[in-house]
Amino acid sequence: MHPPDTGGFGHSISEDEAEDLLRCICFKTGPPRRVGVEVEWLVHDLDRPRTRVPSERLAAAFDQVRALPLDSALTFEPGGQLELSSRPAATLMECIDSTAADLRAVRAVLRTAGLATTGSGLDPWHPPRRLLDDPRYDAMERHLDRSGPAGRTMMCSSASVQVCLDAGEEEPGPLGHARRWVLAHLLGAVLVAAFANSPLRTGRRTGWRSARQAVWDALDPVRPLAPDPLRDPRSAWAAHALDAPVMCLRRAEGAWDCPDGLTFRQWLRSGAPRPPTRDDLDYHLTTLFPPVRPRGHLELRMIDAQPGEDGWMVPLAVTTALFDDPEAAETVYRAVKPLAEYAGSRPAPRNPLWVAAARRGLTDPELHAAAVTCFAAALEALERIGASEAVRASVAAFNERHVLPGLCPADDRRVPSVAWEPVT
């Protein structure tokens, strides 16, 4: 008997095998020891940021950037956003120092080409423009277009700071993986509100402080949702991933099929048009965009890209301190636990807590009160986890400028005499 033809994507797997893989590979427990960051940047003309850069000019500059000997992984998003993904680091400062060195090198090359990086959750000036021609992005665009224009905006116009932390210990307690999973979905709303930095789109106010978060929310009915954070994390995520629609069926040649409504579980059971494999499951996970994505570690995806050359360091430092320092983790868990009632029964980011965070930022009283406690705890913890004086000063300055008065970076944007419009 010949093995089933999987199109060259590995050995087929059963439904039970897929569920076991999801439980094992997505939550690898142990004492938190590593931290990573993924920083995305919009790239604009150095002197005329509102003038769209021709694609040929961007491509030439990016070729020069690719030649750099970077410690981080370098990628480019469909709209020309530049992303650096750090290696897992043993300490916060190792992560910051290596990423900052890579950013300096990248910016120096871009500067010679008359370009600069811009820290904003959404491109504030230009409509989406896809530069990358790739079967993955063709299929993604076709799939997300079924739910409206948000998919193209997400792919081509958004940028973020993603903080990556270990899943946590197997045992209960402040650093336990179940506690950290719940914390991520409550503290995550506070991070959205505190670091909201995308109020504009095509030069107009959107009515949201984090319009990027609103765009991600609108991608499709299932793909941006979190599983129930009050269930066992492994069971909740495995069920969520298997019951999510398949974005595309990859092929070795030609366009990738974009099935309508086929879940990964249904694909496993039917085995048609070809049996799914471990590679297909791994790929499927990359097409799910919840605010917290378990990938062996926890990938916190809800933070807008930040202004200034070093603004990205603040959410990285604050989040790491609040998760990995046991005293701060306990303090913050008590502070954000009452927000569960505000969130209600709907999953993030579509529950009232997350919507308020994206729309109102820290003008929301409950989110403001939680943020004040969180930043105070972070400032105390940063010295304990070895943060430099410069990093602590940056966090303290952000706290004074934004958190204590109930503001976020979006509130620094001043666009007089422009209309407010809904995000689409």
Side-chain angles (χ1 to χ4, degrees):
M1 179 180 295
H2 295 288
D5 183 7
T6 62
F9 290 102
H11 299 291
S12 63
I13 56 173
S14 68
E15 185 176 346
D16 287 343
E17 288 172 327
E19 187 157 351
D20 287 344
L21 284 168
L22 287 167
R23 289 171 174 271
C24 294
I25 66 178
C26 293
F27 289 91
K28 296 178 181 176
T29 55
R33 292 194 177 96
R34 295 174 299 176
V35 56
V37 68
E38 299 176 21
V39 286
E40 292 177 318
W41 302 90
L42 306 169
V43 179
H44 291 293
D45 187 276
L46 182 63
D47 300 315
R48 298 175 297 168
R50 300 190 183 205
T51 300
R52 172 157 267 172
V53 180
S55 58
E56 298 82 2
R57 184 178 165 201
L58 281 176
F62 290 167
D63 284 344
Q64 296 180 53
V65 173
R66 289 188 184 95
L68 290 170
L70 302 175
D71 188 59
S72 305
L74 170 72
T75 53
F76 296 96
E77 297 300 310
Q81 308 98 307
L82 184 153
E83 178 178 272
L84 290 176
S85 301
S86 75
R87 297 176 185 269
T91 66
L92 170 65
M93 289 311 304
E94 179 185 323
C95 181
I96 287 177
D97 290 343
S98 66
T99 306
D102 285 345
L103 276 169
R104 286 193 296 271
V106 167
R107 285 173 173 147
V109 168
L110 291 178
R111 197 174 300 115
T112 63
L115 301 174
T117 56
T118 299
S120 180
L122 280 182
D123 189 320
W125 304 298
H126 309 123
R129 173 187 61 170
R130 185 154 73 94
L131 301 178
L132 298 185
D133 184 16
D134 182 271
R136 169 184 171 89
Y137 297 127
D138 292 343
M140 182 182 294
E141 187 174 277
R142 290 196 303 272
H143 178 89
L144 297 178
D145 276 351
R146 296 169 180 170
S147 299
R152 296 189 182 210
T153 301
M154 177 276 288
M155 292 170 63
C156 302
S157 301
S158 67
S160 67
V161 176
Q162 298 179 17
V163 180
C164 300
L165 299 168
D166 283 327
E169 298 173 343
E170 188 66 30
E171 298 77 15
L175 302 183
H177 77 281
R179 168 78 72 87
R180 285 162 76 87
W181 182 245
V182 174
L183 178 62
H185 290 87
L186 295 176
L187 177 60
V190 179
L191 298 175
V192 169
F195 296 109
N197 184 40
S198 50
L200 306 178
R201 193 161 160 205
T202 59
R204 297 166 63 87
R205 284 202 177 273
T206 61
W208 298 76
R209 283 169 171 81
S210 178
R212 171 185 165 274
Q213 187 64 45
V215 165
W216 280 82
D217 179 19
L219 290 183
D220 78 9
V222 175
R223 209 160 294 278
L225 296 184
D228 183 352
L230 299 181
R231 287 184 58 190
D232 168 69
R234 292 187 175 97
S235 298
W237 177 249
H240 179 74
L242 292 181
D243 292 329
V246 175
M247 178 176 284
C248 57
L249 301 181
R250 298 176 297 159
R251 295 179 179 275
E253 296 181 356
W256 294 0
D257 293 341
C258 196
D260 188 4
L262 177 72
T263 69
F264 203 91
R265 192 186 301 277
Q266 290 168 338
W267 188 16
L268 287 163
R269 291 177 178 178
S270 71
R274 63 168 177 81
T277 68
R278 164 70 184 272
D279 285 348
D280 290 316
L281 178 61
D282 290 342
Y283 182 84
H284 174 62
L285 296 179
T286 71
T287 71
L288 303 179
F289 309 119
V292 183
R293 186 161 64 183
R295 302 183 64 186
H297 57 273
L298 299 182
E299 183 182 81
L300 280 73
R301 304 169 51 83
M302 73 287 296
I303 302 169
D304 282 356
Q306 295 296 289
E309 290 199 352
D310 298 330
W312 60 275
M313 297 181 186
V314 176
L316 170 61
V318 168
T319 306
T320 304
L322 296 181
F323 271 84
D324 286 359
D325 179 81
E327 183 178 338
E330 185 64 35
T331 297
V332 170
Y333 182 73
R334 290 196 301 266
V336 301
K337 191 174 181 180
L339 296 177
E341 184 175 349
Y342 191 165
S345 60
R346 298 192 69 188
R350 293 191 179 138
N351 62 48
L353 173 67
W354 280 70
V355 172
R359 186 182 286 277
R360 302 176 62 188
L362 294 186
T363 65
D364 182 280
E366 292 184 59
L367 285 162
H368 182 218
V372 169
T373 301
C374 290
F375 271 74
L379 283 165
E380 292 181 0
L382 281 170
E383 187 170 5
R384 292 195 293 267
I385 66 172
S388 68
E389 184 177 345
V391 169
R392 299 199 307 271
S394 295
V395 174
F398 187 96
N399 188 47
E400 292 288 334
R401 179 181 176 86
H402 293 110
V403 177
L404 294 179
L407 303 172
C408 61
D411 294 312
D412 294 339
R413 304 287 187 93
R414 297 289 181 259
V415 181
S417 302
V418 294
W420 290 62
E421 58 183 9
V423 170
T424 59

